[in-house]
């Protein structure tokens, strides 16, 4: 975690970069979105951080203070939220059904509810077909001397989203150098020793699919972090673009 210029505690990503507040300038999530039943996008195993702001005071929302119901207000057992083990202030969402639900903060009574839209989004899957069953939300084990095929999907429900991907430069492999006792990062040709990519579907910019073959080339009991970086853009305005990544 880190502190922003206003003194607020905020999250950082794996590279130590501050994770910006998302959609903090869109109050319609709490008003028009609720009445029209649309809202914030989520995915399985999503990690989120919530603050409630009222009268100039910022209160962090504990995951235990969040209630998830169906849109009609009845209890929803297929989507649950827990505190992250390594950082209990972070809410982790567990999904058994893809749907829109109401998420309510019990610590307030005004503007304390918004719609969560749970969907399959960009990430790693075990199949060319995206599904909850094929989605990878944890580690992947590869046996030494063997390989394993995974699939990297780039897509989301926003219909105007486009994706760009450069297989030759998109992959970074982080691993531990036992001999020199340090972390190393491999990219380009060096990363191909551990992972190779081949296109499965690259004609629809809204949904790119690449097969990712992970090699068990290291005989030690080792861990590796794979980082795939890509660009997301507005198909009607190519200048509206930003970088994104997924890690496994």
């Amino acid at each position: 975690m880190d502190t922003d210029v206003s003194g607020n505690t905020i999250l950082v990503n794996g590279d130590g970069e501050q994770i910006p507040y998302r959609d903090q300038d869109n109050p319609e999530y709490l008003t028009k979105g609720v009445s029209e039943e649309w809202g914030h996008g989520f995915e399985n195993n999503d990690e989120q951080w919530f603050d409630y702001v009222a009268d100039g005071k910022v209160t962090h929302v504990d995951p235990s203070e969040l209630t998830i119901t169906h849109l009609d207000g009845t209890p929803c057992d297929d989507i649950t939220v827990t505190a992250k083990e390594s950082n209990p202030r972070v809410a982790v969402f567990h999904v058994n059904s893809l749907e829109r639900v109401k998420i309510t903060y019990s610590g307030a009574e005004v503007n304390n509810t918004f719609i969560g839209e749970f969907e399959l989004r960009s990430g790693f899957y075990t199949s060319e077909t995206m599904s909850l069953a094929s989605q990878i939300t944890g580690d992947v084990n590869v046996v030494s001397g063997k390989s394993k095929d995974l699939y990297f999907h780039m897509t989301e429900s926003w219909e105007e989203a486009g994706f760009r991907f450069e297989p030759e430069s998109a992959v970074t492999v982080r691993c531990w150098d036992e001999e020199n006792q340090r972390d190393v990062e491999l990219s380009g040709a060096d990363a191909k020793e551990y992972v190779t990519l081949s296109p499965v579907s690259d004609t629809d910019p809204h949904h790119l699919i690449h097969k990712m073959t992970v090699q068990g080339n290291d005989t030690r009991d080792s861990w590796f972090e794979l980082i795939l970086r890509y660009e997301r853009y507005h198909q009607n305005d190519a200048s509206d673009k930003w970088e994104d990544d997924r890690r496994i």
Side-chain angles (χ1 to χ4, degrees):
M1 290 185 287
D2 201 354
T3 303
D4 66 12
V5 294
S6 300
N8 298 309
T9 301
I10 61 174
L11 297 177
V12 297
N13 62 21
D15 295 323
E17 301 166 333
Q18 292 185 352
I19 301 174
Y21 291 113
R22 284 199 285 177
D23 302 297
Q24 73 273 32
D25 296 323
N26 187 359
E28 290 189 346
Y29 273 148
L30 303 173
T31 53
K32 187 178 180 180
V34 175
S35 62
E36 297 183 357
E37 299 185 347
W38 56 263
H40 186 65
F42 288 85
E43 56 189 309
N44 189 22
N45 225 40
D46 214 347
E47 298 182 359
Q48 298 282 342
W49 168 284
F50 298 98
D51 287 330
Y52 182 81
V53 183
D55 299 325
K57 180 182 178 182
V58 179
T59 301
H60 179 71
V61 177
D62 190 273
S64 65
E65 298 174 302
L66 296 175
T67 301
I68 300 176
T69 64
H70 296 293
L71 295 182
D72 62 4
T74 58
C76 178
D77 297 327
D78 288 327
I79 298 175
T80 57
V81 58
T82 61
K84 185 176 181 179
E85 184 176 350
S86 61
N87 185 356
R89 300 186 70 178
V90 176
V92 184
F93 291 86
H94 313 280
V95 181
N96 291 317
S97 175
L98 299 171
E99 60 179 294
R100 286 175 296 163
V101 296
K102 283 186 177 180
I103 302 175
T104 302
Y105 168 43
S106 62
E109 297 181 359
V110 179
N111 289 341
N112 65 339
T113 297
F114 66 98
I115 304 296
E117 300 184 358
F118 287 84
E119 60 191 14
L120 296 173
R121 301 167 72 183
S122 298
F124 303 98
Y125 295 79
T126 59
S127 169
E128 292 182 31
T129 302
M130 296 173 68
S131 68
L132 279 174
S134 66
Q135 186 181 36
I136 300 171
T137 58
D139 296 338
V140 172
N141 293 319
V142 182
V143 177
S144 177
K146 304 288 186 178
S147 65
K148 182 171 289 188
D149 289 337
L150 310 175
Y151 294 86
F152 185 55
H153 291 256
M154 287 160 277
T155 189
E156 62 176 48
S157 61
W158 177 37
E159 295 181 358
E160 295 174 331
F163 298 88
R164 297 188 183 98
F165 187 66
E166 297 295 338
E168 295 298 316
S169 60
V171 180
T172 298
V173 177
R174 285 179 174 170
C175 56
W176 176 251
D177 182 347
E178 182 68 27
E179 182 178 353
N180 296 300
Q181 292 291 298
R182 63 185 178 90
D183 287 321
V184 296
E185 289 193 0
L186 307 175
S187 58
D190 293 332
K192 289 183 178 180
E193 179 182 353
Y194 297 95
V195 57
T196 55
L197 296 170
S198 56
V200 174
S201 177
D202 57 3
T203 56
D204 178 6
H206 180 72
H207 191 176
L208 304 180
I209 308 172
H210 277 66
K211 182 168 75 172
M212 182 175 73
T213 301
V214 182
Q215 304 289 344
N217 286 337
D218 200 307
T219 59
R220 298 167 299 171
D221 182 13
S222 304
W223 64 268
F224 303 88
E225 182 183 35
L226 303 183
I227 306 170
L228 272 71
R229 295 182 170 88
Y230 58 96
E231 183 178 84
R232 183 168 57 163
Y233 65 94
H234 194 309
Q235 291 193 57
N236 297 328
D237 181 6
S239 65
D240 184 7
K241 60 186 178 180
W242 56 98
E243 300 296 324
D244 208 343
D245 67 64
R246 290 292 184 271
R247 302 165 186 242
I248 190 172

